[in-house]
């Protein structure tokens, strides 16, 4: 799921606020709609199916709530934040918005609290970790929409050839197994380690958090810490032992996953869509999906999610928004949308209904153990950029030096 980070408020961006469907919000209601509450709904494109999926949801909702009309506007991720900024500046904020980040809006008192536009029954159905990720100063100002977590993809055939009897659960086992697989030769690598700029912050999180570290919270970004140093030093130990592919410092996640799919990497962290990639490109690959090994074997994964938020506009539309959220998150309406877009559900009821899906179950089992980037901190954007530009230097520099460089860049930013 793509998150753009800049939030430039440009009056000139009004010219960009044309929706993919050919019309944005605004315009007068037809005579038959004058007595209806109108909800303006701005969303990004996740796939070619996004617009149709939301139209199906809206059609069903309006059929059950004939006093409410929902105007859908679909934008590309590249345009989304410019469009919403322009609308807010013009006093035309959407009533419901699928986007991020939300903290600036909440700090400016533009958003309803989640509990003001969502019933207690729906709130209680959300995975607690993903709901907590939508909070600022202890208050939720958005509700989670979709989830994605990371897991370890294991090439069973390569591990078997290397004499590794079972998937590793901790760092020692991972290092040992990866070295054995790398020794198979023929261009095979034990562990795929992508420290390049594409998503260095994600690989960093997997290792640094796996050693008991953290990137901080909404108050303070903490990178240069003893706990984080343990994870960074373990990465160097993997590289120095020849347990990874060549040039991990410049390796990017997407092409490296392609190599795993081709059967040339023993183990690599992947996402739910990786399952579909394997089915499409190499359906005969003998692989398993297991929890990510950590320093002591305790459960941990990186969680990422997008959200829905509701703006407090002139008209009090809280009741209508609540009806829409409660309708959408009903399992029969929510699951088809999530499955079609290729993500994981953020509701407990949705996860329970999908627990028999063999492809998704390993990821669903990890949802309760998900940890998140401190994206509500205003300096997280600087940290994200610092990881992408500097973390790959672990290949050639001491761990403590690299972490200090990242911390310095965050503090300066």
């Amino acid at each position: 799921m793509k998150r753009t980070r800049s939030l430039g408020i440009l009056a000139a961006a009004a010219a960009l606020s044309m929706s993919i469907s050919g019309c944005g919000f605004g315009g007068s209601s037809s005579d038959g709609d004058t007595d209806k509450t109108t909800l303006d709904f701005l969303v990004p494109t996740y796939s070619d199916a996004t617009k149709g999926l939301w139209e199906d949801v809206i059609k069903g909702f309006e059929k059950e709530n004939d006093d409410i009309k929902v105007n859908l506007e679909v934008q590309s991720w590249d345009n989304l934040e410019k469009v919403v900024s322009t609308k807010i500046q013009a006093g035309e904020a959407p009533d419901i918005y699928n986007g991020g980040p939300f903290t600036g809006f909440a700090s400016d008192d533009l958003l309803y609290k989640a509990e003001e536009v969502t019933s207690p029954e729906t709130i209680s159905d959300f995975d607690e970790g993903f709901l907590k990720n939508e909070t600022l100063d202890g208050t939720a100002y958005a509700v989670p929409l979709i989830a994605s977590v990371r897991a370890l993809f294991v090439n069973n055939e390569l591990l078997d050839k290397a004499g590794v009897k079972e998937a590793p659960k901790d760092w020692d086992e991972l290092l040992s197994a990866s070295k054995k697989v790398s020794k198979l030769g023929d261009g095979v690598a034990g562990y795929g380690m992508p420290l390049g700029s594409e998503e260095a912050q994600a690989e960093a999180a997997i290792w640094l958090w796996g050693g008991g570290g953290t990137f901080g919270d909404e108050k303070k970004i903490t990178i240069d810490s003893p706990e984080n140093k343990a994870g960074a030093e373990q990465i160097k130990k993997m590289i120095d032992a020849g347990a990874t592919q060549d040039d991990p410092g410049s390796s990017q996640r997407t092409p490296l996953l392609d190599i795993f799919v081709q059967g040339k990497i023993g183990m690599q962290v992947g996402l739910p869509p990786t399952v579909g990639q394997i089915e499409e490109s190499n359906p005969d690959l003998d692989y398993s999906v297991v929890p990510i090994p950590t320093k002591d074997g305790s459960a941990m994964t990186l969680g990422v999610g997008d959200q829905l938020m509701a703006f407090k506009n002139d008209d009090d539309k809280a009741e209508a928004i609540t009806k829409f959220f409660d309708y959408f998150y009903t399992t029969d309406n929510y699951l088809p949308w999530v499955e079609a877009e290729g993500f994981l559900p953020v509701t407990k009821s949705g996860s329970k209904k999908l627990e028999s899906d063999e492809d998704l179950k390993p990821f669903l089992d990890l949802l309760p153990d998900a940890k998140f980037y401190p994206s509500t901190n205003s300096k997280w954007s600087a940290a994200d950029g610092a990881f992408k530009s500097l973390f790959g230097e672990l290949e050639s520099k001491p761990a403590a030096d690299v972490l200090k460089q990242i911390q310095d860049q965050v503090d300066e930013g």
Side-chain angles (χ1 to χ4, degrees):
M1 56 196 82
K2 181 179 178 182
R3 295 288 193 91
T4 52
R5 295 293 177 187
S6 61
L7 190 59
I9 300 179
L10 304 171
L16 295 173
S17 60
M18 296 296 292
S19 76
I20 290 173
S21 59
C23 61
F25 304 147
S28 59
S29 300
S30 64
D31 291 341
D33 293 337
T34 53
D35 295 330
K36 293 186 177 184
T37 298
T38 299
L39 297 178
D40 291 332
F41 187 21
L42 176 61
V43 305
T45 300
Y46 288 102
S47 69
D48 292 341
T50 297
K51 182 173 180 286
L53 290 168
W54 278 124
E55 286 175 339
D56 288 344
V57 170
I58 291 168
K59 182 178 179 180
F61 173 74
E62 290 180 341
K63 186 176 181 180
E64 291 189 13
N65 299 271
D66 57 9
D67 59 335
I68 303 173
K69 177 177 175 58
V70 181
N71 291 330
L72 176 68
E73 180 175 352
V74 185
Q75 288 285 346
S76 71
W77 275 106
D78 291 338
N79 287 345
L80 185 68
E81 290 187 352
K82 291 180 181 179
V83 170
V84 76
S85 298
T86 301
K87 289 180 181 294
I88 292 170
Q89 189 179 47
E92 298 176 352
D95 298 301
I96 305 174
Y97 176 50
N98 168 199
F102 69 91
T103 51
F105 304 138
S107 297
D108 291 339
D109 195 30
L110 298 178
L111 300 178
Y112 283 107
K113 298 176 183 178
E115 64 183 15
E116 294 175 324
V117 287
T118 317
S119 71
E121 292 77 15
T122 298
I123 287 280
S124 65
D125 193 32
F126 289 127
D127 177 273
E128 286 85 357
F130 280 83
L131 181 61
K132 184 178 180 181
N133 193 46
E134 313 302 343
T135 63
L136 182 65
D137 294 328
T139 299
Y141 287 96
V143 292
L145 172 63
I146 52 177
S148 182
V149 295
R150 310 299 168 101
L152 187 70
F153 281 70
V154 177
N155 184 314
N156 297 326
E157 182 178 354
L158 290 180
L159 263 65
D160 185 60
K161 285 183 178 179
V164 179
K165 301 303 181 184
E166 59 181 7
K169 298 180 179 61
D170 60 33
W171 284 353
D172 289 341
E173 292 178 0
L174 178 59
L175 176 60
S176 174
S178 298
K179 288 194 297 183
K180 290 177 181 178
V181 173
S182 288
K183 288 178 180 178
L184 292 174
D186 194 26
V188 169
Y191 178 83
M193 181 81 77
L195 303 180
S197 59
E198 179 187 355
E199 210 183 28
Q201 82 287 353
E203 191 71 16
I206 287 160
W207 288 92
L208 274 55
W209 300 354
T214 175
F215 289 170
D217 53 29
E218 64 187 52
K219 302 295 184 183
K220 184 179 181 180
I221 297 293
T222 305
I223 308 300
D224 187 11
S225 70
E227 295 81 7
N228 285 341
K229 184 181 176 183
E233 289 182 335
Q234 186 66 23
I235 291 175
K236 287 192 67 66
K237 188 181 291 186
M238 293 280 292
I239 296 171
D240 294 344
T244 73
Q245 83 285 359
D246 293 336
D247 301 320
S250 59
S251 295
Q252 311 293 8
R253 177 180 62 85
T254 299
L256 201 60
L257 271 175
D258 289 340
I259 298 173
F260 175 86
V261 173
Q262 294 163 16
K264 290 292 187 176
I265 293 178
M267 292 163 285
Q268 187 173 342
V269 172
L271 308 90
T274 306
V275 174
Q277 183 183 353
I278 294 171
E279 287 300 311
E280 181 178 346
S281 302
N282 189 8
D284 294 329
L285 185 70
D286 180 11
Y287 75 99
S288 299
V289 180
V290 301
I292 297 170
T294 58
K295 182 178 181 179
D296 60 6
S298 59
M300 187 284 302
T301 187
L302 168 63
V304 181
D306 286 344
Q307 62 277 117
L308 292 174
M309 62 198 82
F311 283 88
K312 296 190 293 186
N313 292 319
D314 291 339
D315 296 327
D316 184 5
K317 300 181 180 180
E319 183 178 352
I321 295 169
T322 301
K323 288 182 179 179
F324 183 79
F325 283 177
D326 287 351
Y327 174 86
F328 173 60
Y329 283 107
T330 301
T331 302
D332 288 345
N333 300 322
Y334 176 58
L335 272 190
W337 189 96
V338 172
E339 290 183 284
E341 291 287 27
F343 296 113
L344 300 175
V346 294
T347 59
K348 299 170 189 173
S349 58
S351 293
K352 185 173 180 59
K353 194 156 187 177
L354 292 180
E355 63 185 6
S356 61
D357 187 315
E358 293 184 1
D359 290 335
L360 291 180
K361 191 177 188 307
F363 298 98
L364 294 171
D365 289 345
L366 290 170
L367 284 176
D369 300 307
K371 295 184 178 180
F372 302 87
Y373 301 130
S375 56
T376 54
N377 190 303
S378 61
K379 290 193 173 184
W380 168 243
S381 180
D384 179 74
F387 272 114
K388 289 175 178 175
S389 63
L390 298 171
F391 199 62
E393 295 183 8
L394 271 179
E395 184 176 352
S396 58
K397 291 184 178 181
D401 291 355
V402 174
L403 295 182
K404 186 178 185 304
Q405 282 182 281
I406 295 173
Q407 186 73 61
D408 289 346
Q409 189 163 312
V410 172
D411 294 341
E412 291 169 2

